[in-house]
Tab-separated table of all heavy atoms in Angstrom:
chain	number	residue	atom	x	y	z
A	1192	MET	N	49.495	111.055	-55.510
A	1192	MET	CA	48.827	110.067	-54.660
A	1192	MET	C	48.684	110.594	-53.248
A	1192	MET	O	49.655	110.912	-52.588
A	1192	MET	CB	49.640	108.763	-54.655
A	1192	MET	CG	48.958	107.625	-53.906
A	1192	MET	SD	47.409	107.117	-54.677
A	1192	MET	CE	48.052	106.382	-56.203
A	1193	ALA	N	47.482	110.700	-52.791
A	1193	ALA	CA	47.235	111.216	-51.449
A	1193	ALA	C	46.989	110.084	-50.469
A	1193	ALA	O	46.321	109.110	-50.786
A	1193	ALA	CB	46.031	112.144	-51.461
A	1194	PHE	N	47.532	110.230	-49.296
A	1194	PHE	CA	47.331	109.222	-48.265
A	1194	PHE	C	46.695	109.871	-47.038
A	1194	PHE	O	47.098	109.643	-45.916
A	1194	PHE	CB	48.661	108.572	-47.888
A	1194	PHE	CG	49.209	107.687	-48.965
A	1194	PHE	CD1	50.257	108.102	-49.757
A	1194	PHE	CD2	48.645	106.428	-49.189
A	1194	PHE	CE1	50.759	107.274	-50.759
A	1194	PHE	CE2	49.146	105.598	-50.186
A	1194	PHE	CZ	50.203	106.025	-50.973
A	1195	SER	N	45.723	110.718	-47.276
A	1195	SER	CA	45.141	111.478	-46.181
A	1195	SER	C	44.369	110.588	-45.214
A	1195	SER	O	44.178	110.934	-44.070
A	1195	SER	CB	44.216	112.562	-46.731
A	1195	SER	OG	43.210	111.980	-47.529
A	1196	ASP	N	43.935	109.424	-45.691
A	1196	ASP	CA	43.135	108.552	-44.842
A	1196	ASP	C	43.873	107.243	-44.571
A	1196	ASP	O	43.272	106.209	-44.385
A	1196	ASP	CB	41.783	108.267	-45.504
A	1196	ASP	CG	40.811	107.620	-44.528
A	1196	ASP	OD1	40.866	107.947	-43.332
A	1196	ASP	OD2	40.003	106.783	-44.959
A	1197	ALA	N	45.206	107.326	-44.585
A	1197	ALA	CA	45.999	106.112	-44.425
A	1197	ALA	C	45.868	105.550	-43.013
A	1197	ALA	O	46.048	106.254	-42.039
A	1197	ALA	CB	47.460	106.416	-44.724
A	1198	ARG	N	45.548	104.289	-42.976
A	1198	ARG	CA	45.462	103.597	-41.690
A	1198	ARG	C	46.076	102.212	-41.832
A	1198	ARG	O	46.117	101.645	-42.922
A	1198	ARG	CB	43.996	103.461	-41.251
A	1198	ARG	CG	43.431	104.726	-40.666
A	1198	ARG	CD	41.958	104.584	-40.364
A	1198	ARG	NE	41.191	104.467	-41.612
A	1198	ARG	CZ	39.885	104.245	-41.653
A	1198	ARG	NH1	39.225	104.086	-40.543
A	1198	ARG	NH2	39.265	104.175	-42.799
A	1199	CYS	N	46.479	101.677	-40.714
A	1199	CYS	CA	47.001	100.312	-40.719
A	1199	CYS	C	45.890	99.366	-41.158
A	1199	CYS	O	44.784	99.387	-40.610
A	1199	CYS	CB	47.498	99.947	-39.313
A	1199	CYS	SG	48.025	98.234	-39.179
A	1200	THR	N	46.188	98.557	-42.166
A	1200	THR	CA	45.171	97.661	-42.701
A	1200	THR	C	44.775	96.600	-41.686
A	1200	THR	O	43.662	96.085	-41.710
A	1200	THR	CB	45.705	96.990	-43.977
A	1200	THR	OG1	46.163	97.990	-44.868
A	1200	THR	CG2	44.632	96.178	-44.666
A	1201	SER	N	45.687	96.281	-40.793
A	1201	SER	CA	45.430	95.205	-39.839
A	1201	SER	C	44.668	95.676	-38.601
A	1201	SER	O	43.713	95.045	-38.178
A	1201	SER	CB	46.753	94.562	-39.424
A	1201	SER	OG	47.402	93.998	-40.547
A	1202	CYS	N	45.085	96.791	-38.010
A	1202	CYS	CA	44.498	97.205	-36.740
A	1202	CYS	C	43.777	98.540	-36.829
A	1202	CYS	O	43.102	98.929	-35.884
A	1202	CYS	CB	45.558	97.242	-35.646
A	1202	CYS	SG	46.749	98.580	-35.810
A	1203	GLY	N	43.918	99.267	-37.931
A	1203	GLY	CA	43.185	100.504	-38.097
A	1203	GLY	C	43.859	101.722	-37.495
A	1203	GLY	O	43.296	102.819	-37.542
A	1204	LEU	N	45.052	101.561	-36.971
A	1204	LEU	CA	45.778	102.685	-36.408
A	1204	LEU	C	46.143	103.684	-37.501
A	1204	LEU	O	46.523	103.289	-38.594
A	1204	LEU	CB	47.058	102.175	-35.732
A	1204	LEU	CG	47.854	103.230	-34.961
A	1204	LEU	CD1	47.185	103.499	-33.620
A	1204	LEU	CD2	49.277	102.738	-34.732
A	1205	ALA	N	45.994	104.964	-37.207
A	1205	ALA	CA	46.359	105.981	-38.182
A	1205	ALA	C	47.857	105.950	-38.428
A	1205	ALA	O	48.650	105.862	-37.494
A	1205	ALA	CB	45.943	107.350	-37.671
A	1206	LEU	N	48.236	106.017	-39.701
A	1206	LEU	CA	49.648	105.983	-40.044
A	1206	LEU	C	50.221	107.382	-40.106
A	1206	LEU	O	49.506	108.371	-40.022
A	1206	LEU	CB	49.843	105.289	-41.390
A	1206	LEU	CG	49.353	103.842	-41.436
A	1206	LEU	CD1	49.633	103.258	-42.814
A	1206	LEU	CD2	50.019	103.006	-40.366
A	1207	GLY	N	51.512	107.472	-40.301
A	1207	GLY	CA	52.174	108.756	-40.378
A	1207	GLY	C	53.347	108.822	-39.426
A	1207	GLY	O	54.257	109.618	-39.610
A	1208	ALA	N	53.309	107.999	-38.399
A	1208	ALA	CA	54.413	107.992	-37.443
A	1208	ALA	C	55.601	107.221	-38.009
A	1208	ALA	O	55.484	106.504	-39.004
A	1208	ALA	CB	53.961	107.361	-36.134
A	1209	ARG	N	56.722	107.362	-37.347
A	1209	ARG	CA	57.894	106.608	-37.760
A	1209	ARG	C	57.614	105.113	-37.652
A	1209	ARG	O	56.951	104.661	-36.734
A	1209	ARG	CB	59.073	106.947	-36.849
A	1209	ARG	CG	59.806	108.199	-37.267
A	1209	ARG	CD	60.880	108.548	-36.256
A	1209	ARG	NE	61.647	107.366	-35.838
A	1209	ARG	CZ	62.486	107.341	-34.809
A	1209	ARG	NH1	62.643	108.431	-34.094
A	1209	ARG	NH2	63.144	106.265	-34.505
A	1210	GLY	N	58.165	104.355	-38.610
A	1210	GLY	CA	58.036	102.916	-38.545
A	1210	GLY	C	56.824	102.366	-39.269
A	1210	GLY	O	56.665	101.171	-39.392
A	1211	THR	N	55.957	103.276	-39.743
A	1211	THR	CA	54.797	102.807	-40.485
A	1211	THR	C	55.129	102.739	-41.972
A	1211	THR	O	55.967	103.478	-42.469
A	1211	THR	CB	53.581	103.725	-40.283
A	1211	THR	OG1	53.902	105.032	-40.772
A	1211	THR	CG2	53.219	103.813	-38.804
A	1212	VAL	N	54.451	101.845	-42.655
A	1212	VAL	CA	54.693	101.686	-44.083
A	1212	VAL	C	53.364	101.674	-44.831
A	1212	VAL	O	52.337	101.286	-44.298
A	1212	VAL	CB	55.456	100.383	-44.388
A	1212	VAL	CG1	56.863	100.439	-43.823
A	1212	VAL	CG2	54.718	99.172	-43.861
A	1213	GLN	N	53.429	102.146	-46.072
A	1213	GLN	CA	52.261	102.097	-46.948
A	1213	GLN	C	52.705	101.509	-48.267
A	1213	GLN	O	53.775	101.825	-48.771
A	1213	GLN	CB	51.692	103.501	-47.164
A	1213	GLN	CG	51.169	104.124	-45.876
A	1213	GLN	CD	50.867	105.601	-46.062
A	1213	GLN	OE1	50.441	106.027	-47.111
A	1213	GLN	NE2	51.118	106.386	-45.023
A	1214	PHE	N	51.883	100.640	-48.820
A	1214	PHE	CA	52.271	99.985	-50.063
A	1214	PHE	C	51.033	99.551	-50.819
A	1214	PHE	O	49.943	99.456	-50.272
A	1214	PHE	CB	53.156	98.772	-49.766
A	1214	PHE	CG	52.541	97.795	-48.783
A	1214	PHE	CD1	51.861	96.688	-49.233
A	1214	PHE	CD2	52.652	98.017	-47.418
A	1214	PHE	CE1	51.285	95.787	-48.337
A	1214	PHE	CE2	52.078	97.128	-46.512
A	1214	PHE	CZ	51.398	96.010	-46.967
A	1215	LYS	N	51.223	99.314	-52.101
A	1215	LYS	CA	50.129	98.804	-52.921
A	1215	LYS	C	49.965	97.317	-52.673
A	1215	LYS	O	50.940	96.599	-52.431
A	1215	LYS	CB	50.448	99.038	-54.406
A	1215	LYS	CG	50.470	100.504	-54.819
A	1215	LYS	CD	49.073	101.045	-54.946
A	1215	LYS	CE	49.106	102.434	-55.581
A	1215	LYS	NZ	47.737	102.951	-55.779
A	1216	CYS	N	48.739	96.855	-52.794
A	1216	CYS	CA	48.477	95.429	-52.667
A	1216	CYS	C	49.322	94.670	-53.689
A	1216	CYS	O	49.307	94.999	-54.875
A	1216	CYS	CB	46.997	95.154	-52.914
A	1216	CYS	SG	46.610	93.405	-53.029
A	1217	PRO	N	50.095	93.665	-53.259
A	1217	PRO	CA	50.954	92.920	-54.186
A	1217	PRO	C	50.169	92.045	-55.140
A	1217	PRO	O	50.722	91.543	-56.124
A	1217	PRO	CB	51.824	92.076	-53.248
A	1217	PRO	CG	51.011	91.915	-52.007
A	1217	PRO	CD	50.212	93.201	-51.875
A	1218	ASN	N	48.913	91.847	-54.863
A	1218	ASN	CA	48.097	90.978	-55.709
A	1218	ASN	C	47.370	91.764	-56.790
A	1218	ASN	O	47.513	91.486	-57.970
A	1218	ASN	CB	47.091	90.203	-54.854
A	1218	ASN	CG	46.349	89.158	-55.666
A	1218	ASN	OD1	46.955	88.342	-56.340
A	1218	ASN	ND2	45.039	89.205	-55.617
A	1219	CYS	N	46.581	92.774	-56.395
A	1219	CYS	CA	45.797	93.519	-57.372
A	1219	CYS	C	46.487	94.817	-57.773
A	1219	CYS	O	46.175	95.388	-58.817
A	1219	CYS	CB	44.395	93.805	-56.823
A	1219	CYS	SG	44.363	94.939	-55.422
A	1220	GLY	N	47.404	95.313	-56.956
A	1220	GLY	CA	48.145	96.518	-57.283
A	1220	GLY	C	47.306	97.779	-57.268
A	1220	GLY	O	47.733	98.816	-57.751
A	1221	GLU	N	46.130	97.722	-56.697
A	1221	GLU	CA	45.243	98.885	-56.697
A	1221	GLU	C	45.014	99.451	-55.310
A	1221	GLU	O	45.006	100.662	-55.119
A	1221	GLU	CB	43.897	98.513	-57.324
A	1221	GLU	CG	44.022	98.163	-58.802
A	1221	GLU	CD	42.649	97.896	-59.411
A	1221	GLU	OE1	41.645	98.163	-58.735
A	1221	GLU	OE2	42.615	97.407	-60.546
A	1222	ALA	N	44.779	98.587	-54.352
A	1222	ALA	CA	44.453	99.060	-53.015
A	1222	ALA	C	45.704	99.533	-52.279
A	1222	ALA	O	46.779	98.962	-52.427
A	1222	ALA	CB	43.791	97.943	-52.215
A	1223	ASN	N	45.547	100.602	-51.522
A	1223	ASN	CA	46.630	101.075	-50.669
A	1223	ASN	C	46.524	100.394	-49.309
A	1223	ASN	O	45.521	100.529	-48.625
A	1223	ASN	CB	46.538	102.593	-50.493
A	1223	ASN	CG	46.900	103.332	-51.754
A	1223	ASN	OD1	47.910	103.045	-52.373
A	1223	ASN	ND2	46.064	104.273	-52.137
A	1224	LEU	N	47.566	99.680	-48.958
A	1224	LEU	CA	47.582	98.998	-47.677
A	1224	LEU	C	48.574	99.688	-46.756
A	1224	LEU	O	49.523	100.312	-47.216
A	1224	LEU	CB	47.994	97.536	-47.869
A	1224	LEU	CG	47.155	96.752	-48.883
A	1224	LEU	CD1	47.705	95.339	-49.028
A	1224	LEU	CD2	45.695	96.718	-48.476
A	1225	GLY	N	48.332	99.572	-45.474
A	1225	GLY	CA	49.235	100.187	-44.518
A	1225	GLY	C	49.513	99.258	-43.362
A	1225	GLY	O	48.695	98.397	-43.030
A	1226	ARG	N	50.686	99.443	-42.785
A	1226	ARG	CA	51.009	98.646	-41.608
A	1226	ARG	C	51.709	99.538	-40.588
A	1226	ARG	O	52.617	100.290	-40.925
A	1226	ARG	CB	51.940	97.486	-41.951
A	1226	ARG	CG	51.438	96.620	-43.053
A	1226	ARG	CD	52.122	95.276	-43.056
A	1226	ARG	NE	51.475	94.386	-42.106
A	1226	ARG	CZ	51.939	93.200	-41.754
A	1226	ARG	NH1	53.072	92.789	-42.245
A	1226	ARG	NH2	51.287	92.436	-40.924
A	1227	CYS	N	51.277	99.436	-39.351
A	1227	CYS	CA	51.939	100.191	-38.307
A	1227	CYS	C	53.145	99.400	-37.798
A	1227	CYS	O	53.324	98.234	-38.144
A	1227	CYS	CB	50.966	100.470	-37.164
A	1227	CYS	SG	50.449	98.998	-36.264
A	1228	MET	N	53.938	100.037	-36.995
A	1228	MET	CA	55.171	99.399	-36.522
A	1228	MET	C	54.855	98.130	-35.730
A	1228	MET	O	55.548	97.135	-35.828
A	1228	MET	CB	55.946	100.392	-35.657
A	1228	MET	CG	57.310	99.887	-35.218
A	1228	MET	SD	58.350	101.201	-34.567
A	1228	MET	CE	57.275	101.954	-33.357
A	1229	ARG	N	53.807	98.186	-34.948
A	1229	ARG	CA	53.463	97.033	-34.123
A	1229	ARG	C	53.063	95.834	-34.982
A	1229	ARG	O	53.507	94.714	-34.751
A	1229	ARG	CB	52.302	97.390	-33.188
A	1229	ARG	CG	51.901	96.252	-32.281
A	1229	ARG	CD	50.674	96.600	-31.476
A	1229	ARG	NE	50.827	97.868	-30.766
A	1229	ARG	CZ	49.849	98.470	-30.101
A	1229	ARG	NH1	48.650	97.928	-30.073
A	1229	ARG	NH2	50.061	99.612	-29.495
A	1230	CYS	N	52.233	96.079	-35.988
A	1230	CYS	CA	51.789	94.973	-36.829
A	1230	CYS	C	52.940	94.447	-37.694
A	1230	CYS	O	52.986	93.261	-38.009
A	1230	CYS	CB	50.610	95.403	-37.687
A	1230	CYS	SG	49.104	95.656	-36.714
A	1231	ARG	N	53.847	95.313	-38.078
A	1231	ARG	CA	55.037	94.841	-38.790
A	1231	ARG	C	55.855	93.936	-37.887
A	1231	ARG	O	56.302	92.869	-38.282
A	1231	ARG	CB	55.904	96.030	-39.223
A	1231	ARG	CG	55.372	96.785	-40.404
A	1231	ARG	CD	56.273	97.973	-40.701
A	1231	ARG	NE	57.644	97.563	-40.981
A	1231	ARG	CZ	58.712	98.352	-40.888
A	1231	ARG	NH1	58.545	99.604	-40.528
A	1231	ARG	NH2	59.897	97.921	-41.177
A	1232	ASP	N	56.050	94.375	-36.665
A	1232	ASP	CA	56.881	93.633	-35.727
A	1232	ASP	C	56.286	92.269	-35.429
A	1232	ASP	O	56.992	91.281	-35.268
A	1232	ASP	CB	57.039	94.439	-34.442
A	1232	ASP	CG	58.004	93.777	-33.468
A	1232	ASP	OD1	59.154	93.533	-33.872
A	1232	ASP	OD2	57.603	93.507	-32.329
A	1233	GLN	N	54.969	92.203	-35.357
A	1233	GLN	CA	54.305	90.956	-35.001
A	1233	GLN	C	53.851	90.180	-36.230
A	1233	GLN	O	53.210	89.138	-36.115
A	1233	GLN	CB	53.092	91.254	-34.104
A	1233	GLN	CG	53.504	91.930	-32.803
A	1233	GLN	CD	52.311	92.170	-31.886
A	1233	GLN	OE1	51.175	91.866	-32.224
A	1233	GLN	NE2	52.573	92.727	-30.719
A	1234	SER	N	54.173	90.690	-37.418
A	1234	SER	CA	53.821	90.015	-38.669
A	1234	SER	C	52.332	89.683	-38.724
A	1234	SER	O	51.937	88.577	-39.079
A	1234	SER	CB	54.653	88.740	-38.853
A	1234	SER	OG	56.024	89.067	-38.952
A	1235	VAL	N	51.523	90.667	-38.350
A	1235	VAL	CA	50.081	90.483	-38.381
A	1235	VAL	C	49.608	90.402	-39.838
A	1235	VAL	O	50.057	91.162	-40.689
A	1235	VAL	CB	49.375	91.648	-37.665
A	1235	VAL	CG1	47.855	91.510	-37.760
A	1235	VAL	CG2	49.814	91.703	-36.209
A	1236	VAL	N	48.724	89.464	-40.094
A	1236	VAL	CA	48.206	89.286	-41.444
A	1236	VAL	C	47.322	90.464	-41.831
A	1236	VAL	O	46.569	90.990	-41.011
A	1236	VAL	CB	47.393	87.980	-41.523
A	1236	VAL	CG1	46.669	87.860	-42.857
A	1236	VAL	CG2	48.316	86.783	-41.322
A	1237	PHE	N	47.427	90.886	-43.081
A	1237	PHE	CA	46.532	91.930	-43.581
A	1237	PHE	C	45.634	91.330	-44.664
A	1237	PHE	O	45.962	90.315	-45.271
A	1237	PHE	CB	47.320	93.118	-44.162
A	1237	PHE	CG	48.171	92.762	-45.363
A	1237	PHE	CD1	47.605	92.695	-46.629
A	1237	PHE	CD2	49.517	92.501	-45.206
A	1237	PHE	CE1	48.375	92.377	-47.734
A	1237	PHE	CE2	50.299	92.172	-46.309
A	1237	PHE	CZ	49.730	92.106	-47.573
A	1238	THR	N	44.505	91.947	-44.881
A	1238	THR	CA	43.601	91.524	-45.945
A	1238	THR	C	43.303	92.711	-46.837
A	1238	THR	O	42.882	93.760	-46.367
A	1238	THR	CB	42.288	90.984	-45.357
A	1238	THR	OG1	42.581	89.899	-44.486
A	1238	THR	CG2	41.371	90.502	-46.476
A	1239	CYS	N	43.534	92.557	-48.124
A	1239	CYS	CA	43.268	93.630	-49.067
A	1239	CYS	C	41.770	93.870	-49.173
A	1239	CYS	O	41.011	92.929	-49.402
A	1239	CYS	CB	43.843	93.266	-50.437
A	1239	CYS	SG	43.414	94.457	-51.719
A	1240	PRO	N	41.327	95.114	-49.007
A	1240	PRO	CA	39.899	95.419	-49.101
A	1240	PRO	C	39.371	95.360	-50.519
A	1240	PRO	O	38.170	95.331	-50.749
A	1240	PRO	CB	39.805	96.835	-48.528
A	1240	PRO	CG	41.145	97.425	-48.802
A	1240	PRO	CD	42.130	96.290	-48.674
A	1241	ASN	N	40.267	95.336	-51.464
A	1241	ASN	CA	39.866	95.332	-52.875
A	1241	ASN	C	39.738	93.919	-53.438
A	1241	ASN	O	38.783	93.606	-54.134
A	1241	ASN	CB	40.877	96.143	-53.693
A	1241	ASN	CG	40.428	96.325	-55.128
A	1241	ASN	OD1	39.324	96.800	-55.368
A	1241	ASN	ND2	41.267	95.957	-56.067
A	1242	CYS	N	40.707	93.047	-53.139
A	1242	CYS	CA	40.699	91.714	-53.738
A	1242	CYS	C	40.721	90.597	-52.709
A	1242	CYS	O	40.731	89.421	-53.064
A	1242	CYS	CB	41.885	91.563	-54.682
A	1242	CYS	SG	43.484	91.494	-53.839
A	1243	ALA	N	40.717	90.958	-51.421
A	1243	ALA	CA	40.681	89.977	-50.338
A	1243	ALA	C	41.951	89.146	-50.231
A	1243	ALA	O	41.967	88.106	-49.599
A	1243	ALA	CB	39.460	89.057	-50.459
A	1244	PHE	N	43.019	89.628	-50.861
A	1244	PHE	CA	44.302	88.950	-50.733
A	1244	PHE	C	44.796	89.050	-49.289
A	1244	PHE	O	44.723	90.105	-48.681
A	1244	PHE	CB	45.309	89.600	-51.682
A	1244	PHE	CG	46.726	89.107	-51.505
A	1244	PHE	CD1	47.132	87.914	-52.076
A	1244	PHE	CD2	47.641	89.853	-50.771
A	1244	PHE	CE1	48.432	87.459	-51.920
A	1244	PHE	CE2	48.962	89.398	-50.614
A	1244	PHE	CZ	49.349	88.203	-51.184
A	1245	GLU	N	45.291	87.941	-48.768
A	1245	GLU	CA	45.852	87.943	-47.421
A	1245	GLU	C	47.346	87.689	-47.491
A	1245	GLU	O	47.797	86.819	-48.227
A	1245	GLU	CB	45.188	86.868	-46.570
A	1245	GLU	CG	43.714	87.151	-46.314
A	1245	GLU	CD	43.119	86.138	-45.360
A	1245	GLU	OE1	43.816	85.173	-45.012
A	1245	GLU	OE2	41.951	86.323	-44.979
A	1246	GLY	N	48.094	88.452	-46.727
A	1246	GLY	CA	49.536	88.259	-46.764
A	1246	GLY	C	50.233	88.912	-45.581
A	1246	GLY	O	49.618	89.706	-44.855
A	1247	PRO	N	51.470	88.580	-45.386
A	1247	PRO	CA	52.269	89.154	-44.319
A	1247	PRO	C	52.903	90.466	-44.746
A	1247	PRO	O	52.982	90.726	-45.951
A	1247	PRO	CB	53.342	88.101	-44.072
A	1247	PRO	CG	53.520	87.461	-45.413
A	1247	PRO	CD	52.153	87.496	-46.066
B	1612	LIG	ZN1	48.582	97.894	-37.027
B	1613	LIG	ZN1	44.420	93.585	-53.555
């Protein structure tokens, strides 16, 4: 699994730094979602680009 284009799903920040996370969409299990440290800290809502699932 390559994450060469991993970005924060909420704000678009490139991931790879400490504190960032990448995970599969909990709803469809297909889309790769990412969250940067800031969006994790602020519990910013993300939207899955594949199934439009919204979650914290
Ligand atoms: Zn972010
Ligand atoms: Zn999804």
Side-chain angles (χ1 to χ4, degrees):
M1192 186 64 68
F1194 289 104
S1195 57
D1196 192 34
R1198 282 175 292 176
C1199 175
T1200 307
S1201 299
C1202 71
L1204 186 78
L1206 300 181
R1209 276 175 44 192
T1211 62
V1212 293
Q1213 296 169 35
F1214 54 96
K1215 293 284 189 177
C1216 171
N1218 187 52
C1219 67
E1221 295 184 10
N1223 289 312
L1224 306 177
R1226 306 199 83 189
C1227 67
M1228 186 166 52
R1229 181 186 307 173
C1230 290
R1231 284 177 59 201
D1232 185 56
Q1233 299 183 358
S1234 297
V1235 177
V1236 172
F1237 63 82
T1238 302
C1239 174
N1241 187 54
C1242 70
F1244 172 81
E1245 294 185 354

